[in-house]
Amino acid sequence: MSIMSDAKSGIPEIAREVAIRENIPAERIARGLASGRIVIPSNPRHSPTPTGVGEGLHVKVNVNLGTSEDCSAIDEELEKARTAVRFGADTIMDLSTGGDIDSIRRRILKEVKVPVGSVPIYQAGLEFARKSAVVDMTEDHIFKGIETHVRDGIDFITVHCGVTRESVESLKNSGRLTGVVSRGGSFLTAWILHNGKENPLYANYDYLLEIAKEHEVTLSLGDGYRPGCIADATDAPQIKELITLGECVKRAREAGVQSMVEGPGHVPMHQIEANVKLEKSICDGAPFYVLGPLVTDIAPGYDHITGAIGGAIAASCGADFLCDVSPSEHLCLPTVDDIRVATIASKIAAHVGDISRGMSMDRDNVISRARAELDWESQFAHCLDPEHARARRNERRPGKGDEDVCSMCGKYCAIKLTNEYLKKK
Ligand code: SF4
């Protein structure tokens, strides 16, 4: 049995818990699970807070963290995980590639109660890269790595099943500006070209489904050929991969395995809606998990903004799950403060998407009312980052005892003036 197959014959307990959090009927969650349009990544070995992703639910935010060969301080990664959850991350992905990767993953799983994802092929590739070359990975090693991650309790795994011999051919003829920017996608492209064989994750997809079903792990079907710049968006390799992922979604559903689909990447604003619609159509409504998307390539250091713009549009068009993009994207491994800023930027994008999808604006209204009443404490209490908002206000106090206004207009405070005269009427 699995969450998905349980939902075909009734309402699993986990669906009831998600229904309470989403404030919608449990039957709707169960129907979404049974059809594959909703997933609840939840490996029983981790047993995270029940979190639903998909049709009709609030847009969720994932935050990426993890070590690199150059920066592998585990305490810093744990602090990043705590920071992300504190600012509202719904899930965390551990993308560690440096230091003791097994131990980092296990510590993160212990540290957070939100669902945790990983990309097992990173570890398989790196272990071979340290000895000889990534292309020497064996199929056995790739699958053993997946089993290790899921036995540790990882709730969802990125698997780049759509990078196939056929899509490699399409890539070769594509004339892309930035080639392949997905690490997993690059490992598998190099492996296919070097070994002249099919991607083991695609060739042995039934075996992958068996592992996923046994451990109740959700497949996040990775976008190895996501565009790495807006010029490459929505091109042939990306769409060819998406068509294969649509086939993988269908087979996962038949096997009772939960699956979602990862998407771009870098996409100019006017192509975002088409990207969401294509995924929803080709993958029959499978939850869509997008990285950003970044809507321009001119802002290194500010890609939390380019990503949040794209994320808000994608969410308003139907994307279900946003991956954070930090200000350090394309430049370096994020710091703890980058994670704070990135989480908040993605939360804003997700909330903007929720509003445009007709979800509650109650929190906005509470803050607006407090703003109209010059009630600063209530504004701080309900905003995304109270500490930051309070510190900014305190940076430039208006002084002269007029503490109810702020230093923007001081004694010419429009709200105060209007309130005074409206009360006189
Ligand atoms: S001083 Fe100006 S910016 Fe500040 S609360 Fe009043 S109207 Fe708003």
Side-chain angles (χ1 to χ4, degrees), residues 213-261:
K213 183 152 189 188
E214 184 189 341
H215 297 279
E216 188 59 78
V217 68
T218 298
L219 298 184
S220 187
L221 296 163
D223 51 343
Y225 287 171
R226 67 170 177 264
C229 65
I230 58 170
D232 293 346
T234 331
D235 69 354
Q238 183 199 325
I239 303 306
K240 192 165 271 297
E241 181 181 31
L242 183 64
I243 292 169
T244 306
L245 296 184
E247 178 206 319
C248 292
V249 166
K250 189 166 181 282
R251 288 169 65 188
R253 288 176 179 176
E254 285 163 3
V257 170
Q258 302 192 88
S259 62
M260 54 188 166
V261 173

mmCIF file of all heavy atoms in Angstrom, residues 213-261:
data_model
loop_
_atom_site.group_PDB
_atom_site.id
_atom_site.type_symbol
_atom_site.label_atom_id
_atom_site.label_comp_id
_atom_site.label_asym_id
_atom_site.label_seq_id
_atom_site.Cartn_x
_atom_site.Cartn_y
_atom_site.Cartn_z
ATOM 1 N N LYS A 213 8.082 3.058 -4.152
ATOM 2 C CA LYS A 213 6.856 2.556 -3.530
ATOM 3 C C LYS A 213 7.174 1.916 -2.174
ATOM 4 O O LYS A 213 6.484 2.162 -1.176
ATOM 5 C CB LYS A 213 6.173 1.542 -4.456
ATOM 6 C CG LYS A 213 4.862 1.071 -3.876
ATOM 7 C CD LYS A 213 3.889 0.662 -4.916
ATOM 8 C CE LYS A 213 2.547 0.410 -4.265
ATOM 9 N NZ LYS A 213 1.588 -0.156 -5.159
ATOM 10 N N GLU A 214 8.212 1.116 -2.136
ATOM 11 C CA GLU A 214 8.557 0.428 -0.883
ATOM 12 C C GLU A 214 8.833 1.428 0.248
ATOM 13 O O GLU A 214 8.463 1.205 1.387
ATOM 14 C CB GLU A 214 9.788 -0.461 -1.109
ATOM 15 C CG GLU A 214 10.144 -1.293 0.120
ATOM 16 C CD GLU A 214 11.479 -2.007 -0.034
ATOM 17 O OE1 GLU A 214 11.948 -2.164 -1.172
ATOM 18 O OE2 GLU A 214 12.041 -2.380 1.028
ATOM 19 N N HIS A 215 9.472 2.544 -0.093
ATOM 20 C CA HIS A 215 9.877 3.499 0.949
ATOM 21 C C HIS A 215 8.970 4.719 1.028
ATOM 22 O O HIS A 215 9.251 5.634 1.800
ATOM 23 C CB HIS A 215 11.325 3.932 0.717
ATOM 24 C CG HIS A 215 12.292 2.792 0.818
ATOM 25 N ND1 HIS A 215 12.745 2.315 2.024
ATOM 26 C CD2 HIS A 215 12.833 2.007 -0.130
ATOM 27 C CE1 HIS A 215 13.558 1.290 1.806
ATOM 28 N NE2 HIS A 215 13.626 1.085 0.513
ATOM 29 N N GLU A 216 7.902 4.739 0.247
ATOM 30 C CA GLU A 216 6.970 5.877 0.210
ATOM 31 C C GLU A 216 7.729 7.187 0.004
ATOM 32 O O GLU A 216 7.601 8.149 0.769
ATOM 33 C CB GLU A 216 6.133 5.946 1.502
ATOM 34 C CG GLU A 216 5.013 6.968 1.468
ATOM 35 C CD GLU A 216 3.999 6.750 0.343
ATOM 36 O OE1 GLU A 216 3.144 5.865 0.473
ATOM 37 O OE2 GLU A 216 4.097 7.476 -0.654
ATOM 38 N N VAL A 217 8.553 7.173 -1.026
ATOM 39 C CA VAL A 217 9.274 8.399 -1.355
ATOM 40 C C VAL A 217 8.656 8.984 -2.619
ATOM 41 O O VAL A 217 8.277 8.254 -3.528
ATOM 42 C CB VAL A 217 10.797 8.139 -1.499
ATOM 43 C CG1 VAL A 217 11.116 7.287 -2.714
ATOM 44 C CG2 VAL A 217 11.581 9.437 -1.561
ATOM 45 N N THR A 218 8.500 10.296 -2.631
ATOM 46 C CA THR A 218 7.910 10.980 -3.788
ATOM 47 C C THR A 218 9.004 11.262 -4.811
ATOM 48 O O THR A 218 10.091 11.723 -4.454
ATOM 49 C CB THR A 218 7.258 12.301 -3.328
ATOM 50 O OG1 THR A 218 6.213 11.983 -2.404
ATOM 51 C CG2 THR A 218 6.694 13.102 -4.491
ATOM 52 N N LEU A 219 8.708 10.993 -6.080
ATOM 53 C CA LEU A 219 9.678 11.303 -7.137
ATOM 54 C C LEU A 219 9.482 12.737 -7.599
ATOM 55 O O LEU A 219 8.365 13.151 -7.931
ATOM 56 C CB LEU A 219 9.496 10.364 -8.334
ATOM 57 C CG LEU A 219 9.711 8.870 -8.082
ATOM 58 C CD1 LEU A 219 9.589 8.101 -9.399
ATOM 59 C CD2 LEU A 219 11.058 8.587 -7.428
ATOM 60 N N SER A 220 10.568 13.483 -7.599
ATOM 61 C CA SER A 220 10.556 14.817 -8.173
ATOM 62 C C SER A 220 11.313 14.675 -9.494
ATOM 63 O O SER A 220 12.549 14.544 -9.494
ATOM 64 C CB SER A 220 11.245 15.791 -7.216
ATOM 65 O OG SER A 220 11.103 17.099 -7.669
ATOM 66 N N LEU A 221 10.562 14.607 -10.584
ATOM 67 C CA LEU A 221 11.175 14.286 -11.882
ATOM 68 C C LEU A 221 11.953 15.504 -12.370
ATOM 69 O O LEU A 221 11.371 16.532 -12.741
ATOM 70 C CB LEU A 221 10.079 13.840 -12.857
ATOM 71 C CG LEU A 221 9.389 12.531 -12.391
ATOM 72 C CD1 LEU A 221 8.062 12.322 -13.114
ATOM 73 C CD2 LEU A 221 10.299 11.323 -12.579
ATOM 74 N N GLY A 222 13.265 15.373 -12.332
ATOM 75 C CA GLY A 222 14.157 16.525 -12.498
ATOM 76 C C GLY A 222 14.235 17.032 -13.929
ATOM 77 O O GLY A 222 14.030 16.283 -14.887
ATOM 78 N N ASP A 223 14.524 18.318 -14.034
ATOM 79 C CA ASP A 223 14.646 18.946 -15.350
ATOM 80 C C ASP A 223 16.123 19.164 -15.665
ATOM 81 O O ASP A 223 16.656 20.252 -15.522
ATOM 82 C CB ASP A 223 13.840 20.252 -15.422
ATOM 83 C CG ASP A 223 14.139 21.197 -14.263
ATOM 84 O OD1 ASP A 223 14.705 20.733 -13.264
ATOM 85 O OD2 ASP A 223 13.802 22.390 -14.373
ATOM 86 N N GLY A 224 16.754 18.082 -16.114
ATOM 87 C CA GLY A 224 18.186 18.126 -16.425
ATOM 88 C C GLY A 224 18.496 19.099 -17.540
ATOM 89 O O GLY A 224 19.605 19.619 -17.635
ATOM 90 N N TYR A 225 17.522 19.334 -18.411
ATOM 91 C CA TYR A 225 17.730 20.250 -19.535
ATOM 92 C C TYR A 225 16.936 21.541 -19.372
ATOM 93 O O TYR A 225 16.483 22.145 -20.352
ATOM 94 C CB TYR A 225 17.383 19.560 -20.858
ATOM 95 C CG TYR A 225 18.428 18.528 -21.253
ATOM 96 C CD1 TYR A 225 18.234 17.662 -22.309
ATOM 97 C CD2 TYR A 225 19.628 18.427 -20.550
ATOM 98 C CE1 TYR A 225 19.193 16.720 -22.664
ATOM 99 C CE2 TYR A 225 20.589 17.496 -20.884
ATOM 100 C CZ TYR A 225 20.374 16.647 -21.933
ATOM 101 O OH TYR A 225 21.333 15.719 -22.273
ATOM 102 N N ARG A 226 16.787 21.975 -18.114
ATOM 103 C CA ARG A 226 16.127 23.272 -17.931
ATOM 104 C C ARG A 226 17.014 24.352 -18.554
ATOM 105 O O ARG A 226 18.254 24.223 -18.547
ATOM 106 C CB ARG A 226 15.894 23.543 -16.442
ATOM 107 C CG ARG A 226 17.161 23.738 -15.643
ATOM 108 C CD ARG A 226 16.878 24.237 -14.232
ATOM 109 N NE ARG A 226 18.097 24.348 -13.472
ATOM 110 C CZ ARG A 226 18.572 23.427 -12.652
ATOM 111 N NH1 ARG A 226 17.907 22.300 -12.465
ATOM 112 N NH2 ARG A 226 19.696 23.613 -11.996
ATOM 113 N N PRO A 227 16.394 25.396 -19.091
ATOM 114 C CA PRO A 227 17.214 26.453 -19.689
ATOM 115 C C PRO A 227 18.054 27.165 -18.630
ATOM 116 O O PRO A 227 17.576 27.433 -17.531
ATOM 117 C CB PRO A 227 16.170 27.399 -20.294
ATOM 118 C CG PRO A 227 14.896 27.106 -19.571
ATOM 119 C CD PRO A 227 14.957 25.680 -19.161
ATOM 120 N N GLY A 228 19.286 27.477 -19.011
ATOM 121 C CA GLY A 228 20.180 28.168 -18.079
ATOM 122 C C GLY A 228 20.260 29.649 -18.370
ATOM 123 O O GLY A 228 21.044 30.374 -17.749
ATOM 124 N N CYS A 229 19.468 30.108 -19.330
ATOM 125 C CA CYS A 229 19.396 31.537 -19.635
ATOM 126 C C CYS A 229 18.092 31.767 -20.384
ATOM 127 O O CYS A 229 17.521 30.812 -20.937
ATOM 128 C CB CYS A 229 20.597 31.991 -20.465
ATOM 129 S SG CYS A 229 20.656 31.254 -22.103
ATOM 130 N N ILE A 230 17.637 33.010 -20.404
ATOM 131 C CA ILE A 230 16.316 33.224 -21.016
ATOM 132 C C ILE A 230 16.339 32.937 -22.530
ATOM 133 O O ILE A 230 15.324 32.572 -23.094
ATOM 134 C CB ILE A 230 15.749 34.639 -20.707
ATOM 135 C CG1 ILE A 230 16.669 35.748 -21.176
ATOM 136 C CG2 ILE A 230 15.407 34.778 -19.236
ATOM 137 C CD1 ILE A 230 16.036 37.141 -21.097
ATOM 138 N N ALA A 231 17.527 33.052 -23.151
ATOM 139 C CA ALA A 231 17.596 32.778 -24.605
ATOM 140 C C ALA A 231 17.322 31.306 -24.904
ATOM 141 O O ALA A 231 16.883 30.961 -26.001
ATOM 142 C CB ALA A 231 18.959 33.177 -25.138
ATOM 143 N N ASP A 232 17.602 30.422 -23.949
ATOM 144 C CA ASP A 232 17.424 28.975 -24.176
ATOM 145 C C ASP A 232 16.044 28.475 -23.762
ATOM 146 O O ASP A 232 15.752 27.277 -23.894
ATOM 147 C CB ASP A 232 18.488 28.189 -23.387
ATOM 148 C CG ASP A 232 19.900 28.418 -23.914
ATOM 149 O OD1 ASP A 232 20.028 28.951 -25.032
ATOM 150 O OD2 ASP A 232 20.861 28.066 -23.195
ATOM 151 N N ALA A 233 15.208 29.373 -23.238
ATOM 152 C CA ALA A 233 13.923 28.918 -22.669
ATOM 153 C C ALA A 233 13.007 28.307 -23.720
ATOM 154 O O ALA A 233 12.991 28.743 -24.871
ATOM 155 C CB ALA A 233 13.219 30.094 -22.003
ATOM 156 N N THR A 234 12.273 27.294 -23.274
ATOM 157 C CA THR A 234 11.215 26.647 -24.069
ATOM 158 C C THR A 234 11.764 26.103 -25.402
ATOM 159 O O THR A 234 11.085 26.157 -26.422
ATOM 160 C CB THR A 234 10.042 27.642 -24.331
ATOM 161 O OG1 THR A 234 9.972 28.594 -23.236
ATOM 162 C CG2 THR A 234 8.710 26.926 -24.375
ATOM 163 N N ASP A 235 12.989 25.593 -25.376
ATOM 164 C CA ASP A 235 13.572 25.066 -26.620
ATOM 165 C C ASP A 235 13.351 23.554 -26.730
ATOM 166 O O ASP A 235 12.745 22.926 -25.850
ATOM 167 C CB ASP A 235 15.057 25.446 -26.740
ATOM 168 C CG ASP A 235 15.944 24.726 -25.716
ATOM 169 O OD1 ASP A 235 15.393 24.024 -24.833
ATOM 170 O OD2 ASP A 235 17.176 24.848 -25.806
ATOM 171 N N ALA A 236 13.862 22.972 -27.800
ATOM 172 C CA ALA A 236 13.581 21.561 -28.095
ATOM 173 C C ALA A 236 14.069 20.603 -26.994
ATOM 174 O O ALA A 236 13.312 19.731 -26.566
ATOM 175 C CB ALA A 236 14.172 21.198 -29.445
ATOM 176 N N PRO A 237 15.319 20.731 -26.492
ATOM 177 C CA PRO A 237 15.737 19.776 -25.451
ATOM 178 C C PRO A 237 14.853 19.853 -24.199
ATOM 179 O O PRO A 237 14.512 18.823 -23.600
ATOM 180 C CB PRO A 237 17.180 20.210 -25.126
ATOM 181 C CG PRO A 237 17.631 20.981 -26.305
ATOM 182 C CD PRO A 237 16.428 21.620 -26.908
ATOM 183 N N GLN A 238 14.463 21.065 -23.817
ATOM 184 C CA GLN A 238 13.598 21.218 -22.636
ATOM 185 C C GLN A 238 12.255 20.512 -22.860
ATOM 186 O O GLN A 238 11.767 19.777 -22.001
ATOM 187 C CB GLN A 238 13.384 22.708 -22.335
ATOM 188 C CG GLN A 238 12.557 22.948 -21.077
ATOM 189 C CD GLN A 238 11.949 24.350 -21.005
ATOM 190 O OE1 GLN A 238 12.562 25.320 -21.444
ATOM 191 N NE2 GLN A 238 10.758 24.453 -20.456
ATOM 192 N N ILE A 239 11.671 20.730 -24.027
ATOM 193 C CA ILE A 239 10.335 20.162 -24.287
ATOM 194 C C ILE A 239 10.421 18.654 -24.519
ATOM 195 O O ILE A 239 9.569 17.892 -24.066
ATOM 196 C CB ILE A 239 9.660 20.878 -25.492
ATOM 197 C CG1 ILE A 239 9.563 22.387 -25.219
ATOM 198 C CG2 ILE A 239 8.278 20.292 -25.766
ATOM 199 C CD1 ILE A 239 8.870 22.792 -23.919
ATOM 200 N N LYS A 240 11.487 18.205 -25.161
ATOM 201 C CA LYS A 240 11.654 16.755 -25.362
ATOM 202 C C LYS A 240 11.736 16.059 -24.002
ATOM 203 O O LYS A 240 11.116 15.029 -23.768
ATOM 204 C CB LYS A 240 12.928 16.491 -26.181
ATOM 205 C CG LYS A 240 13.022 15.059 -26.667
ATOM 206 C CD LYS A 240 14.061 14.903 -27.761
ATOM 207 C CE LYS A 240 13.536 15.132 -29.150
ATOM 208 N NZ LYS A 240 12.506 14.205 -29.591
ATOM 209 N N GLU A 241 12.497 16.656 -23.084
ATOM 210 C CA GLU A 241 12.613 16.075 -21.739
ATOM 211 C C GLU A 241 11.249 16.072 -21.044
ATOM 212 O O GLU A 241 10.864 15.093 -20.400
ATOM 213 C CB GLU A 241 13.629 16.885 -20.919
ATOM 214 C CG GLU A 241 13.811 16.329 -19.517
ATOM 215 C CD GLU A 241 14.804 17.127 -18.678
ATOM 216 O OE1 GLU A 241 14.916 18.354 -18.874
ATOM 217 O OE2 GLU A 241 15.456 16.518 -17.810
ATOM 218 N N LEU A 242 10.507 17.172 -21.210
ATOM 219 C CA LEU A 242 9.193 17.266 -20.550
ATOM 220 C C LEU A 242 8.249 16.167 -21.051
ATOM 221 O O LEU A 242 7.493 15.577 -20.263
ATOM 222 C CB LEU A 242 8.598 18.665 -20.805
ATOM 223 C CG LEU A 242 7.262 18.952 -20.137
ATOM 224 C CD1 LEU A 242 7.385 18.935 -18.613
ATOM 225 C CD2 LEU A 242 6.719 20.314 -20.583
ATOM 226 N N ILE A 243 8.337 15.860 -22.343
ATOM 227 C CA ILE A 243 7.461 14.802 -22.891
ATOM 228 C C ILE A 243 7.808 13.452 -22.240
ATOM 229 O O ILE A 243 6.931 12.682 -21.852
ATOM 230 C CB ILE A 243 7.586 14.749 -24.436
ATOM 231 C CG1 ILE A 243 6.974 16.031 -25.027
ATOM 232 C CG2 ILE A 243 6.912 13.512 -25.013
ATOM 233 C CD1 ILE A 243 7.243 16.249 -26.501
ATOM 234 N N THR A 244 9.106 13.202 -22.057
ATOM 235 C CA THR A 244 9.508 11.952 -21.381
ATOM 236 C C THR A 244 9.027 11.959 -19.929
ATOM 237 O O THR A 244 8.572 10.936 -19.401
ATOM 238 C CB THR A 244 11.052 11.803 -21.428
ATOM 239 O OG1 THR A 244 11.471 11.913 -22.782
ATOM 240 C CG2 THR A 244 11.504 10.470 -20.852
ATOM 241 N N LEU A 245 9.094 13.118 -19.281
ATOM 242 C CA LEU A 245 8.641 13.195 -17.885
ATOM 243 C C LEU A 245 7.135 12.937 -17.786
ATOM 244 O O LEU A 245 6.670 12.342 -16.810
ATOM 245 C CB LEU A 245 9.015 14.549 -17.266
ATOM 246 C CG LEU A 245 10.522 14.831 -17.155
ATOM 247 C CD1 LEU A 245 10.780 16.144 -16.432
ATOM 248 C CD2 LEU A 245 11.258 13.688 -16.461
ATOM 249 N N GLY A 246 6.397 13.373 -18.818
ATOM 250 C CA GLY A 246 4.962 13.089 -18.841
ATOM 251 C C GLY A 246 4.714 11.583 -18.845
ATOM 252 O O GLY A 246 3.829 11.075 -18.138
ATOM 253 N N GLU A 247 5.534 10.868 -19.605
ATOM 254 C CA GLU A 247 5.427 9.402 -19.655
ATOM 255 C C GLU A 247 5.793 8.812 -18.274
ATOM 256 O O GLU A 247 5.126 7.899 -17.776
ATOM 257 C CB GLU A 247 6.409 8.913 -20.735
ATOM 258 C CG GLU A 247 6.498 7.416 -20.926
ATOM 259 C CD GLU A 247 7.880 7.012 -21.489
ATOM 260 O OE1 GLU A 247 8.405 7.721 -22.376
ATOM 261 O OE2 GLU A 247 8.406 6.004 -21.039
ATOM 262 N N CYS A 248 6.807 9.383 -17.647
ATOM 263 C CA CYS A 248 7.239 8.894 -16.323
ATOM 264 C C CYS A 248 6.146 9.130 -15.267
ATOM 265 O O CYS A 248 5.942 8.301 -14.373
ATOM 266 C CB CYS A 248 8.532 9.579 -15.889
ATOM 267 S SG CYS A 248 9.948 9.108 -16.888
ATOM 268 N N VAL A 249 5.459 10.273 -15.369
ATOM 269 C CA VAL A 249 4.367 10.561 -14.429
ATOM 270 C C VAL A 249 3.299 9.479 -14.559
ATOM 271 O O VAL A 249 2.810 8.917 -13.572
ATOM 272 C CB VAL A 249 3.747 11.953 -14.718
ATOM 273 C CG1 VAL A 249 2.412 12.127 -14.008
ATOM 274 C CG2 VAL A 249 4.711 13.067 -14.312
ATOM 275 N N LYS A 250 2.943 9.155 -15.797
ATOM 276 C CA LYS A 250 1.882 8.167 -16.049
ATOM 277 C C LYS A 250 2.275 6.819 -15.435
ATOM 278 O O LYS A 250 1.481 6.177 -14.734
ATOM 279 C CB LYS A 250 1.688 8.055 -17.573
ATOM 280 C CG LYS A 250 0.505 7.241 -17.993
ATOM 281 C CD LYS A 250 0.216 7.505 -19.481
ATOM 282 C CE LYS A 250 -0.982 6.721 -19.956
ATOM 283 N NZ LYS A 250 -0.714 5.325 -20.225
ATOM 284 N N ARG A 251 3.525 6.422 -15.663
ATOM 285 C CA ARG A 251 3.959 5.118 -15.135
ATOM 286 C C ARG A 251 4.039 5.135 -13.610
ATOM 287 O O ARG A 251 3.735 4.143 -12.950
ATOM 288 C CB ARG A 251 5.313 4.735 -15.765
ATOM 289 C CG ARG A 251 5.167 4.348 -17.232
ATOM 290 C CD ARG A 251 6.510 4.231 -17.926
ATOM 291 N NE ARG A 251 7.341 3.151 -17.401
ATOM 292 C CZ ARG A 251 8.618 2.957 -17.754
ATOM 293 N NH1 ARG A 251 9.192 3.766 -18.630
ATOM 294 N NH2 ARG A 251 9.298 1.952 -17.240
ATOM 295 N N ALA A 252 4.415 6.268 -13.042
ATOM 296 C CA ALA A 252 4.468 6.371 -11.575
ATOM 297 C C ALA A 252 3.062 6.219 -11.001
ATOM 298 O O ALA A 252 2.836 5.491 -10.026
ATOM 299 C CB ALA A 252 5.086 7.709 -11.160
ATOM 300 N N ARG A 253 2.102 6.889 -11.619
ATOM 301 C CA ARG A 253 0.718 6.810 -11.124
ATOM 302 C C ARG A 253 0.209 5.373 -11.201
ATOM 303 O O ARG A 253 -0.455 4.887 -10.285
ATOM 304 C CB ARG A 253 -0.182 7.740 -11.942
ATOM 305 C CG ARG A 253 0.088 9.205 -11.622
ATOM 306 C CD ARG A 253 -0.741 10.105 -12.510
ATOM 307 N NE ARG A 253 -0.509 11.510 -12.195
ATOM 308 C CZ ARG A 253 -1.044 12.515 -12.869
ATOM 309 N NH1 ARG A 253 -1.840 12.275 -13.899
ATOM 310 N NH2 ARG A 253 -0.800 13.754 -12.511
ATOM 311 N N GLU A 254 0.512 4.693 -12.302
ATOM 312 C CA GLU A 254 0.054 3.299 -12.441
ATOM 313 C C GLU A 254 0.668 2.423 -11.357
ATOM 314 O O GLU A 254 0.056 1.459 -10.902
ATOM 315 C CB GLU A 254 0.430 2.760 -13.834
ATOM 316 C CG GLU A 254 -0.471 3.319 -14.929
ATOM 317 C CD GLU A 254 0.108 3.149 -16.340
ATOM 318 O OE1 GLU A 254 1.196 2.544 -16.493
ATOM 319 O OE2 GLU A 254 -0.529 3.661 -17.272
ATOM 320 N N ALA A 255 1.873 2.790 -10.919
ATOM 321 C CA ALA A 255 2.550 1.990 -9.885
ATOM 322 C C ALA A 255 2.177 2.438 -8.468
ATOM 323 O O ALA A 255 2.656 1.869 -7.489
ATOM 324 C CB ALA A 255 4.066 2.100 -10.086
ATOM 325 N N GLY A 256 1.351 3.474 -8.343
ATOM 326 C CA GLY A 256 0.970 3.967 -7.007
ATOM 327 C C GLY A 256 2.072 4.780 -6.346
ATOM 328 O O GLY A 256 2.159 4.852 -5.118
ATOM 329 N N VAL A 257 2.910 5.414 -7.173
ATOM 330 C CA VAL A 257 4.022 6.226 -6.643
ATOM 331 C C VAL A 257 3.709 7.701 -6.896
ATOM 332 O O VAL A 257 3.312 8.086 -8.001
ATOM 333 C CB VAL A 257 5.352 5.838 -7.340
ATOM 334 C CG1 VAL A 257 6.462 6.815 -6.989
ATOM 335 C CG2 VAL A 257 5.754 4.417 -6.937
ATOM 336 N N GLN A 258 3.881 8.512 -5.869
ATOM 337 C CA GLN A 258 3.635 9.957 -6.015
ATOM 338 C C GLN A 258 4.757 10.594 -6.840
ATOM 339 O O GLN A 258 5.939 10.269 -6.637
ATOM 340 C CB GLN A 258 3.593 10.620 -4.652
ATOM 341 C CG GLN A 258 2.537 10.063 -3.714
ATOM 342 C CD GLN A 258 2.376 10.958 -2.503
ATOM 343 O OE1 GLN A 258 1.606 11.893 -2.517
ATOM 344 N NE2 GLN A 258 3.139 10.676 -1.462
ATOM 345 N N SER A 259 4.368 11.520 -7.725
ATOM 346 C CA SER A 259 5.400 12.181 -8.528
ATOM 347 C C SER A 259 5.012 13.622 -8.802
ATOM 348 O O SER A 259 3.831 13.961 -8.866
ATOM 349 C CB SER A 259 5.612 11.451 -9.860
ATOM 350 O OG SER A 259 4.437 11.477 -10.631
ATOM 351 N N MET A 260 6.030 14.450 -8.913
ATOM 352 C CA MET A 260 5.833 15.834 -9.361
ATOM 353 C C MET A 260 6.912 16.117 -10.406
ATOM 354 O O MET A 260 7.837 15.323 -10.582
ATOM 355 C CB MET A 260 5.902 16.814 -8.185
ATOM 356 C CG MET A 260 7.132 16.736 -7.342
ATOM 357 S SD MET A 260 6.948 17.789 -5.876
ATOM 358 C CE MET A 260 8.306 17.199 -4.869
ATOM 359 N N VAL A 261 6.763 17.250 -11.074
ATOM 360 C CA VAL A 261 7.639 17.538 -12.212
ATOM 361 C C VAL A 261 8.369 18.857 -11.971
ATOM 362 O O VAL A 261 7.745 19.860 -11.618
ATOM 363 C CB VAL A 261 6.808 17.609 -13.516
ATOM 364 C CG1 VAL A 261 7.656 18.064 -14.699
ATOM 365 C CG2 VAL A 261 6.180 16.249 -13.804
#
